[in-house]
Amino acid sequence: MPYMINRQALPVVILLSTLLLAGCSGLFGDSPAERADAAIMEANGAISEHNRLFGEARDTYANVKAEIEAGNDPSAQQDNVTEARETMEGARSRLQEANASLGEVNGLDVDPAVKRYAGLLSDAMEAQISAENREIEFYALLQEDPALENNRQQALDLLEQVGNDYERAEQAYAEARNLADENPDLIESSQ
């Protein structure tokens, strides 16, 4: 029986407080706070798409797992595994886009708490991207050897690394939530 990853995608939604934006509006709509808000809104869009695609991929993998566990021919699932792996790669690229958008906040003249928040989320996303890269490697192994008859140890090692990376991401997301809680006048967080 192949091992499947049971971790949920780490959904992230980030917002700058409207209080921050109300006090910092520029004449032409491109104040540092407004640019930070735009970068964060762009990141939110990419994150939403990531979460949708990641959920699709995980659902497909769960169906493949159920088919294999039911005793059906694992090789019959290769097309589904390929499709799900490609979907997961698309999801990961959206998370990379979100991370790049957050990187823009660091160069702006905004409150240090906003920069720290964006940095923590960026750190979390980097750990999550690493986990997803390894998870994609795991599914590539599964694609080649659906029953993991020849690659079981390599798959188990990858899953351990995936778990470690997701744990790092969860810790960084928790730090970001704490920072948002400590600065509610600057940062709204819904994670």
Side-chain angles (χ1 to χ4, degrees):
M1 171 176 78
Y3 292 86
M4 301 299 282
I5 297 168
N6 291 322
R7 293 213 180 249
Q8 296 295 318
L10 299 172
V12 179
V13 179
I14 49 181
L15 304 167
L16 283 183
S17 173
T18 53
L19 294 173
L20 172 67
L21 295 179
C24 299
S25 295
L27 184 60
F28 298 106
D30 62 350
S31 72
E34 288 172 325
R35 287 190 307 228
D37 187 51
I40 289 172
M41 286 175 51
E42 185 178 323
N44 281 334
I47 290 165
S48 292
E49 182 65 6
H50 163 271
N51 293 343
R52 185 188 69 74
L53 291 171
F54 198 88
E56 278 181 28
R58 283 282 179 85
D59 289 346
T60 302
Y61 286 127
N63 292 336
V64 167
K65 178 183 178 187
E67 289 292 319
I68 293 171
E69 288 176 343
N72 297 327
D73 179 17
S75 63
Q77 297 299 317
Q78 286 186 332
D79 287 344
N80 290 333
V81 171
T82 299
E83 178 185 331
R85 183 179 48 79
E86 290 170 356
T87 301
M88 188 169 281
E89 289 171 348
R92 180 199 51 204
S93 71
R94 298 299 290 169
L95 194 60
Q96 290 168 325
E97 290 173 24
N99 195 20
S101 291
L102 284 178
E104 295 173 18
V105 174
N106 197 38
L108 298 173
D109 184 22
V110 294
D111 191 282
V114 173
K115 286 184 180 187
R116 174 95 173 108
Y117 183 69
L120 286 169
L121 288 175
S122 183
D123 292 347
M125 286 182 197
E126 287 174 13
Q128 186 171 347
I129 290 166
S130 177
E132 290 179 13
N133 286 337
R134 293 176 201 274
E135 192 169 343
I136 290 168
E137 287 180 50
F138 168 78
Y139 291 123
L141 281 177
L142 187 63
Q143 182 180 4
E144 294 170 11
D145 182 12
L148 294 175
E149 293 172 357
N150 302 316
N151 298 312
R152 186 166 305 275
Q153 189 56 51
Q154 185 179 0
L156 290 173
D157 292 345
L158 277 171
L159 290 178
E160 182 178 347
Q161 293 169 340
V162 166
N164 292 340
D165 287 342
Y166 276 128
E167 180 64 31
R168 279 192 358 237
E170 289 169 1
Q171 289 172 355
Y173 285 128
E175 285 182 53
R177 274 190 302 275
N178 290 339
L179 182 61
D181 291 344
E182 293 168 5
N183 295 280
D185 56 325
L186 294 177
I187 304 167
E188 294 177 4
S189 174
S190 173
Q191 299 180 10

